[in-house]
Amino acid sequence: MLQAWHLPVAPFIKQHPQRLEITLWLAGEDLPQRVTLRAEHDNEETSIPMKRLRRPPYEGVTAWRASISLDEGQPRRRYSFKLLWPSRQRWFTPQGFNDYPPARLEQFAFDAPDSGPSWVADQIFYQIFPDRFARSLPREAGQDTVYYHHAAHRDIVLRDWDEPVTADAGGSTFYGGDLDGISEKLPWLQKLGVTALYLNPVFTAPSVHKYDTQDYRHVDPQFGGDPALLRLREKTRRAGMRLVLDGVFNHSGDSHPWFDRHNTATDGACHNPASPYRDWYSFSAEGQALDWLGYSSLPKLDYRSATLIDEIYRGENSVVRHWLREPWCMDGWRLDVVHMLGEAGGAQNNLQHVRGITQAAKEANPDAYVLGEHFGDARQWLQADVEDAAMNYRGFTLPLWGFLANTDISYDPQQIDAETCIRWMEQYRAGLSHQQQLRMFNQLDSHDTARFKSLLGKEVARLPLGVIWLFCWPGVPCIYYGDEVGLDGNNDPFCRKPYPWDPKKQDRELLGLYQRLAKLRKQSRALRYGGCHVLYAKGDVVVFMRLWQQQKVLIAINRGDETHIELPWSPLLVNTEWREAEGKAQIVGQTLRIPAVSGGIWRNR
């Protein structure tokens, strides 16, 4: 049987100043007579003959090599391999062999040069829902003021930290977490291994979640106001930690002065057809504002308006630019429901405006990280380079849920085996360049989903398997606050419980696993920068390798009973001495023994 190996990293790729050297390994009885590299010159397909190397990298392996010029063409270098026999051909791509030419966006892709933020792949992110993470004392004036929450038709509710979350008044219930509380807990986060924070919205808004923005220019007093964010920024910078904010630019809240539903005597667009902000929103023929998904408190912003575009991203002092500059110097934006942003109450000209947001961010801070929230397929935005990365629900979270938790995004039953899970992940990954894959934002769960622990239900013993996968799969891992100590909870509001700071309420064994994996990732360039090669995916078991230059990390996941498996022969395994890094699985040669419901990690150095 013919086998092939190629990853867009060394030793298969070597980048020179003027050329990119690309190597393919082949083994088997029926070797091709010729191999050509299908590449592109300014999007035009071109065929480059590959030369067979005289000295094989391993016994039984032949190597073929060709080069792509880096002096011309588009920065994203797409390529695949055409294998030729006297009367037939086969193609080799990230998804294996094909008998016909692959689609353009399903080939290997390597960015040279890479214009994305290089710092992202080195991070371990931590997502914080500010009201529920940590409460500072003493309280400042305005932090615990009770007011009427129009969207909920009631006063807000203030609760003590240890009171249970209930379904009643979920968006109106406050526990008092704030930004100074986060500052106080930075040593805890550093001990966990966290190097970057992503905060749910912090700007002034009436709800606890703050996705109904009332003022894009100021931090909510409940969180400590602007001074508290400055203090957090200063402390994270001293700690060497990155800080990314949540940008809600698809809609505002209906209490924003631009709209002002609750006051008829203002210039707000809701009641005043002559308002200077009227064209910042869309209205039906009957004069009703178009909102986001039926939530009347979230009127959609209309990007047909040139003045709105200037305010949000294009203007010199736009919202997007403002928070990336001194004195704030934020490291990027997570863009809420960004695929829905656009004109006329919908998503018209969406890519144009998302590109504008990203361009403005890069002009203010060339190293800014711009990632979009997409529960669906994000590759349209990523392939157009209008975002640096996306929350990787479709390419990581959802296939992992299907394999380990037997559920999908709608919480409907879904039972898939290892082969289906990996085919799903690999098919999605194939549409992205290697560098984009390393920047994808991987999570087990978030504020918008049930906690992974709760999704597992009776299969909760599989929880450590998901954590191992999170830290080892291509992409930057993000821990949703509290996951590391076993916080549970079904969908909103129960996935937003206050952090259990009492050590007696924490799963210390799970916390130790997170700390060890964070340390391992920090030590391993293969886990941060490496290519990913799946060696085995059948039934209950997945085995994959991360490879970077001479560094190798082998990862095994077994959701089922204890098993022995024989890995297929691979030159990537030959002459490799493994040492255990995590778990109790054992490897001898190409034989793995994996205990029931467990994972194992090995390093070669």
Side-chain angles (χ1 to χ4, degrees):
M1 182 179 69
L2 184 64
Q3 292 180 273
W5 296 269
H6 176 81
L7 297 172
V9 294
F12 300 99
I13 275 189
K14 188 173 183 180
Q15 187 170 346
H16 301 275
Q18 280 82 39
R19 61 190 174 91
L20 188 67
E21 192 175 82
I22 298 172
T23 303
L24 174 70
W25 293 353
L26 295 172
E29 296 178 358
D30 186 20
L31 293 174
Q33 292 183 351
R34 292 186 293 131
V35 179
T36 61
L37 182 70
R38 183 275 188 202
E40 294 179 351
H41 176 73
D42 287 335
N43 303 326
E44 176 68 17
E45 292 188 17
T46 183
S47 184
I48 303 172
M50 301 191 76
K51 294 182 179 180
R52 180 170 172 171
L53 304 185
R54 294 181 179 179
R55 179 178 298 177
Y58 295 94
E59 184 179 352
V61 176
T62 62
W64 298 76
R65 182 171 294 164
S67 294
I68 296 175
S69 172
L70 297 181
D71 291 333
E72 54 193 5
Q74 302 301 307
R76 180 149 300 139
R77 317 291 170 167
R78 301 187 187 278
Y79 60 93
S80 56
F81 304 95
K82 183 180 182 181
L83 284 58
L84 291 156
W85 290 263
S87 60
R88 61 190 177 91
Q89 61 181 253
R90 296 183 79 186
W91 294 76
F92 184 68
T93 74
Q95 298 182 73
F97 287 110
N98 280 320
D99 292 326
Y100 53 87
R104 179 172 182 264
L105 299 180
E106 293 186 353
Q107 303 187 71
F108 295 101
F110 187 86
D111 294 332
D114 174 26
S115 60
S118 60
W119 57 268
V120 173
D122 287 321
Q123 307 308 308
I124 294 172
F125 269 88
Y126 194 84
Q127 179 190 348
I128 294 178
F129 194 83
D131 182 67
R132 307 292 165 84
F133 181 64
R135 176 184 174 102
S136 68
L137 292 173
R139 310 292 286 164
E140 294 187 6
Q143 283 194 271
D144 296 322
T145 301
V146 174
Y147 56 86
Y148 187 76
H149 187 192
H150 286 277
H153 308 292
R154 63 178 298 163
D155 287 342
I156 66 163
V157 179
L158 300 179
R159 285 190 174 150
D160 291 333
W161 199 257
D162 293 326
E163 287 187 71
V165 171
T166 68
D168 181 51
S172 308
T173 300
F174 290 82
Y175 282 80
D178 55 21
L179 300 184
D180 284 326
I182 298 172
S183 291
E184 292 169 5
K185 298 299 184 181
L186 290 183
W188 166 274
L189 294 173
Q190 287 182 292
K191 187 176 180 180
L192 175 59
V194 169
T195 61
L197 303 182
Y198 149 49
L199 306 183
N200 286 111
V202 299
F203 305 127
T204 304
S207 71
V208 68
H209 53 71
K210 307 298 180 191
Y211 283 97
D212 48 350
T213 313
Q214 185 173 312
D215 186 345
Y216 288 97
R217 301 281 180 172
H218 293 288
V219 175
D220 199 295
Q222 289 169 302
F223 293 161
D226 294 355
L229 183 59
L230 276 176
R231 289 191 289 270
L232 178 60
R233 174 73 285 195
E234 180 183 352
K235 290 180 180 179
T236 52
R237 293 177 85 173
R238 285 206 301 262
M241 298 176 74
R242 302 283 184 161
L243 187 57
V244 171
L245 298 181
D246 207 328
V248 189
F249 305 133
N250 170 70
H251 52 266
S252 74
D254 65 356
S255 61
H256 197 296
W258 299 342
F259 193 79
D260 214 354
R261 182 190 300 278
H262 312 295
N263 190 342
T264 59
T266 69
D267 283 337
C270 183
H271 305 290
N272 184 0
S275 167
Y277 311 114
R278 185 74 174 189
D279 70 343
W280 290 23
Y281 298 91
S282 299
F283 291 84
S284 68
E286 295 76 27
Q288 296 296 315
L290 303 185
D291 56 43
W292 179 68
L293 295 183
Y295 293 96
S296 61
S297 62
L298 303 176
K300 280 270 291 185
L301 293 168
D302 189 342
Y303 284 83
R304 287 179 298 184
S305 170
T307 51
L308 172 68
I309 292 172
D310 286 340
E311 173 67 17
I312 296 296
Y313 67 82
R314 187 172 59 192
E316 188 59 29
N317 192 34
S318 66
V319 173
V320 168
R321 299 175 194 267
H322 173 77
W323 295 101
L324 300 179
R325 291 176 173 156
E326 291 284 359
W328 312 101
C329 298
M330 297 300 158
D331 293 295
W333 288 103
R334 178 264 194 188
L335 303 178
D336 182 61
V337 293
V338 69
H339 52 285
M340 302 185 74
L341 177 152
E343 303 174 4
Q348 294 179 25
N349 292 321
N350 173 268
L351 286 176
Q352 169 189 328
H353 296 296
V354 179
R355 186 186 303 278
I357 290 172
T358 298
Q359 181 177 341
K362 302 292 185 180
E363 290 173 357
N365 175 3
D367 252 354
Y369 180 39
V370 181
L371 70 146
E373 180 205 21
H374 303 271
F375 271 91
D377 192 340
R379 289 175 295 182
Q380 177 184 355
W381 290 265
L382 297 170
Q383 289 162 353
D385 289 312
V386 301
E387 299 169 350
D388 292 317
M391 298 182 78
N392 201 13
Y393 288 109
R394 183 61 63 94
F396 176 78
T397 311
L398 302 185
L400 186 143
W401 281 11
F403 182 65
L404 294 179
N406 302 322
T407 190
D408 69 4
I409 187 58
S410 302
Y411 308 111
D412 292 325
Q414 182 180 42
Q415 296 188 16
I416 60 176
D417 60 12
E419 186 176 11
T420 303
C421 176
I422 289 300
R423 191 165 61 244
W424 182 349
M425 286 179 149
E426 293 287 80
Q427 190 275 338
Y428 193 84
R429 207 162 58 91
L432 306 176
S433 74
H434 174 66
Q435 289 87 343
Q436 286 177 313
Q437 293 176 33
L438 300 180
R439 289 192 290 266
M440 291 296 280
F441 203 75
N442 293 341
Q443 294 180 277
L444 295 176
D445 47 26
S446 74
H447 67 293
D448 282 325
T449 74
R451 296 268 181 174
F452 183 57
K453 181 178 180 179
S454 295
L455 289 173
L456 287 167
K458 65 180 182 179
E459 303 290 358
V460 70
R462 295 176 177 177
L463 177 57
L465 309 187
V467 180
I468 289 172
W469 217 326
L470 174 68
F471 279 86
C472 295
W473 194 252
V476 56
C478 180
I479 306 165
Y480 181 41
Y481 82 97
D483 275 359
E484 73 279 8
V485 293
L487 197 60
D488 62 2
N490 290 319
N491 215 3
D492 176 25
F494 301 102
C495 58
R496 304 173 181 181
K497 294 179 181 178
Y499 196 99
W501 288 109
D502 182 351
K504 297 178 182 178
K505 297 180 180 180
Q506 297 176 356
D507 185 336
R508 307 299 286 190
E509 184 176 344
L510 182 62
L511 176 61
L513 175 64
Y514 271 90
Q515 291 172 325
R516 293 193 303 274
L517 291 174
K519 183 178 180 180
L520 175 63
R521 182 178 171 86
K522 183 177 180 180
Q523 294 172 343
S524 173
R525 288 179 175 267
L527 290 179
R528 303 198 309 275
Y529 310 137
C532 180
H533 177 66
V534 177
L535 291 148
Y536 186 95
K538 293 180 182 178
D540 295 325
V541 179
V542 172
V543 182
F544 61 94
M545 178 186 292
R546 299 296 303 279
L547 175 71
W548 187 83
Q549 294 185 359
Q550 302 302 313
Q551 290 187 17
K552 300 176 186 178
V553 180
L554 187 68
I555 301 98
I557 304 288
N558 175 24
R559 71 177 183 185
D561 297 332
E562 179 176 347
T563 186
H564 289 73
I565 65 169
E566 192 74 17
L567 296 176
W569 182 88
S570 169
L572 300 178
L573 295 171
V574 170
N575 299 327
T576 302
E577 294 185 9
W578 298 106
R579 59 183 180 89
E580 183 182 279
E582 182 63 44
K584 297 180 180 180
Q586 297 176 353
I587 182 169
V588 179
Q590 292 173 212
T591 302
L592 282 178
R593 186 194 69 80
I594 317 175
V597 193
S598 70
I601 305 175
W602 300 266
R603 301 175 66 185
N604 72 327
R605 55 192 302 176

